[in-house]
């Protein structure tokens, strides 16, 4: 894998068509008989779901803030090796090429990941509102960062042959080749809602048809041979591959349930891999349909998703809500992130939830989005007090807690804020028997903090053995 062919799909900004091009490119290359590894820069759960459909293997994330710079290449190599060696890796960027964590000079940007992985960049440009000016834009991106290789441009939303010709002539002056041009086509649009695209897992056959259509569209509009030639010119990768078995000790076998189904689609692939490596038998549970936790269940992980969209259906599954409440009262270790936090509340938008937490949740019009650095406040099944993690928030809901809660995290001041402005912000809650429940809005990538997986598995093993937290 040291010679892994690879390419980064970037853009001048959000909404230019990166996901369309990256997903379609993955699917088109797979249709050629190649094994493709799909990756996404940043803390994104939705795009990797489409990548998984396109490639037939798990979608992976690369994020220096969540995982640490030193893990980016090892995680890229891991994703391109498991479950089988890939012929090529396609990395979809985030926002604009140079946009990263606010106040940190492009840290965790697409450009940052491209530099760390020494990957050539293809720039997707929405040309619907311009023509010759695209040449000036490409010239700027080609010269802004001398450490990056801008290897090609893919034009998106071209209006006509004349329009395409005008843009191509302007870009030719920059020396950066145009490798494809996609015409405007509303049939390729993917439905969106309050947090972005509707996840592929919720759309079922419609999502598969979208990806198949993208594959055909990209195969016709983009020079796939030229893209592969760019990918194969990528230099040798530094040594080292991430392996979950190297990150966590093997503990006593135990059964851990993880929330899945349409309402809980946000979970990083490495979470399951780390749990399994630490000795956990990972069993998916769909809170929309499953009425019981798995037999011998000793721990429950509730990740992210859209419970606000499915609140009525989640509430209607009273048997599972009751089972979760009983497990919490018995001291079973429970970890909840964002959507999981809402499911543990008394109610969500008036719909009864599991009632594990003395809290109420509701939808709001405010988007909370951004990287966070958290320090654990209370001990629980996931952390010890004082343990530091990196994570992110992404939600439009608000939770109102009863007085006197023990918070899960205390957030450090963000670099973009005046010193101390949000130094006292605390978030989430540690509750349950002996602090057996750890719930918050903070999403943490466990590959960046593998001790979380081993601590959770150890908590579940103790519970299984009859030792309560």
């Amino acid at each position: 894998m040291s010679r892994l062919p690879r390419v980064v799909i970037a853009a001048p900004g959000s909404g230019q068509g990166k996901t369309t091009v990256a997903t379609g490119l993955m699917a088109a290359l797979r249709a050629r008989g190649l094994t493709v590894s799909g990756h996404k820069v940043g803390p994104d759960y939705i795009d990797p779901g489409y990548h998984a459909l396109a490639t037939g293997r798990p979608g992976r994330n690369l994020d220096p803030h969540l995982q640490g710079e030193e893990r980016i290449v090892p995680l890229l190599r891991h994703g391109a090796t498991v479950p089988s060696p890939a012929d090529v890796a396609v990395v979809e960027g985030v926002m604009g090429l140079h946009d990263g964590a606010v106040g940190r000079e492009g840290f965790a940007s697409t450009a940052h990941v491209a530099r760390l992985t020494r990957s050539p960049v293809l720039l997707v440009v929405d040309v619907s509102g311009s023509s010759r000016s695209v040449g000036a834009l490409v010239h700027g991106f080609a010269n802004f960062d001398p450490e990056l290789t801008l290897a090609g441009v893919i034009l998106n939303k071209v209006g006509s042959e004349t329009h395409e010709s005008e843009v191509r002539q302007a870009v030719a002056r920059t020396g950066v080749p145009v490798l494809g041009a996609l015409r405007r086509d509303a049939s390729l649009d993917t439905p969106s809602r309050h947090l972005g695209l509707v996840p592929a897992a919720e759309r079922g056959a419609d999502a598969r048809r979208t990806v198949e259509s993208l594959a055909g569209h990209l195969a016709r509009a983009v020079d796939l041979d030229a893209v592969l030639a760019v990918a194969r010119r990528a230099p040798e990768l530094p040594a080292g591959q991430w392996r979950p078995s190297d990150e966590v000790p093997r503990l006593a076998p135990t059964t851990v349930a993880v929330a899945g189904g349409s309402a809980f689609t946000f979970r990083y692939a490495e979470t399951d891999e780390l749990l399994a490596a630490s000795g956990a038998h990972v069993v998916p549970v769909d809170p929309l349909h499953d009425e019981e936790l798995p037999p011998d269940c000793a721990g429950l992980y509730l990740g992210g998703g859209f419970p606000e969209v499915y609140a009525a259906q989640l509430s209607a599954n009273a048997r599972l809500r009751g089972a979760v409440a009983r497990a919490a009262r018995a001291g079973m270790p429970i970890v909840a992130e964002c959507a999981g936090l809402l499911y543990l509340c008394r109610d969500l938008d008036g719909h009864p939830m599991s009632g594990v937490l003395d809290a109420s949740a509701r939808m709001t019009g405010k988007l909370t989005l951004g990287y966070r650095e958290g320090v654990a406040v209370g001990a629980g099944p996931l952390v010890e007090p004082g343990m530091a993690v990196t994570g992110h928030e992404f939600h439009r809901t608000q939770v109102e807690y009863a007085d006197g809660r023990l918070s899960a995290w205390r957030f450090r001041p963000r670099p973009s804020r005046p010193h101390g402005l949000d130094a006292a912000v605390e978030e989430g809650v540690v509750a349950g028997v002996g602090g057996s429940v750890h719930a918050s809005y903070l999403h943490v990538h466990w590959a960046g903090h593998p001790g979380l997986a081993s601590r959770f598995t150890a908590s579940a093993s103790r519970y299984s053995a009859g030792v309560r937290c």
Side-chain angles (χ1 to χ4, degrees), residues 10-14 16 18 95-99 123-126 137 141:
S14 297
Q16 300 274 313
K18 291 189 302 293
M95 300 186 294
L97 175 58
H98 299 284
D99 303 326
L123 194 71
V124 178
V125 182
D126 180 345
L137 183 147
F141 274 90

Side-chain angles (χ1 to χ4, degrees), residues 3 155 163 238 240 264 349:
R3 297 297 305 182
L155 310 179
H163 183 206
F264 290 88
D349 285 335

Side-chain angles (χ1 to χ4, degrees), residues 21-353:
V21 171
T23 304
L25 185 59
M26 293 174 197
L29 292 173
R30 184 188 182 195
R32 276 196 166 196
L34 298 174
T35 300
V36 185
S37 181
H39 305 260
K40 171 68 180 183
V41 177
D44 191 305
Y45 296 99
I46 297 175
D47 292 349
Y50 286 92
H51 297 172
L53 277 184
T55 64
R57 54 199 286 144
R60 307 277 183 171
N61 295 71
L62 300 172
D63 190 310
H65 173 81
L66 297 180
Q67 302 158 336
E69 291 179 289
E70 72 281 6
R71 293 186 182 91
I72 298 304
V73 168
L75 283 166
L76 172 62
R77 291 166 64 101
H78 171 71
T81 304
V82 175
S84 61
D87 298 309
V88 62
V90 177
V91 182
E92 180 187 343
V94 62
M95 300 186 294
L97 175 58
H98 299 284
D99 303 326
V102 176
R104 299 182 64 185
E105 299 183 344
F107 188 89
S109 65
T110 304
H112 187 189
V113 171
R115 289 193 299 269
L116 290 172
T117 60
R118 304 171 68 192
S119 300
V121 175
L122 299 183
L123 194 71
V124 178
V125 182
D126 180 345
V127 301
S128 58
S130 58
S131 57
R132 288 186 57 78
S133 296
V134 176
L137 183 147
V138 172
H139 174 79
F141 274 90
N143 292 278
F144 183 79
D145 185 347
E147 294 185 39
L148 289 182
T149 299
L150 184 57
V153 177
I154 296 176
L155 310 179
N156 191 28
K157 296 187 178 181
V158 174
S160 64
E161 289 186 11
T162 301
H163 183 206
E164 180 180 337
S165 177
E166 190 80 357
V167 175
R168 282 181 176 271
Q169 289 176 15
V171 176
R173 296 180 56 183
T174 71
V176 180
V178 174
L179 302 186
L182 285 72
R183 294 295 172 91
R184 300 171 193 171
D185 189 343
S187 68
L188 298 176
D189 292 344
T190 303
S192 300
R193 59 178 181 228
H194 58 285
L195 292 181
L197 298 181
V198 176
E202 294 186 42
R203 297 181 59 216
D206 285 344
R208 290 190 291 275
R209 284 190 289 269
T210 294
V211 171
E212 290 170 1
S213 180
L214 286 174
H217 198 66
L218 264 290
R220 292 187 296 271
V222 174
D223 186 341
L224 297 182
D225 289 327
V227 171
L228 285 171
V230 167
R232 289 166 178 158
R233 288 197 297 269
E236 187 171 339
L237 280 170
Q241 179 173 323
W242 187 86
R243 293 180 177 85
S245 59
D246 294 339
E247 299 291 327
V248 293
R250 187 77 179 182
L251 303 172
T254 189
T255 298
V256 170
V258 296
S262 297
F264 290 88
T265 56
F266 291 7
R267 191 168 79 251
Y268 296 118
E270 292 81 1
T271 299
D272 288 13
E273 292 171 339
L274 284 165
L275 286 171
S278 67
H281 173 49
V282 178
V283 181
V285 173
D286 185 349
L288 287 174
H289 303 293
D290 293 332
E291 296 185 337
E292 298 291 342
L293 293 172
D296 302 320
C297 183
L300 174 61
Y301 174 85
L302 296 156
F306 290 97
E308 62 271 27
V309 176
Y310 296 93
Q313 293 164 263
L314 289 169
S315 184
N317 189 356
R319 290 193 63 180
L320 186 67
R321 290 193 291 111
V324 171
R326 289 191 298 274
R329 289 195 296 270
M332 177 188 288
I334 298 176
V335 172
E337 292 184 347
C338 202
L341 166 67
L342 307 183
Y343 185 72
L344 294 182
C345 288
R346 288 191 312 273
D347 59 86
L348 170 57
D349 285 335
H351 298 281
M353 293 289 115

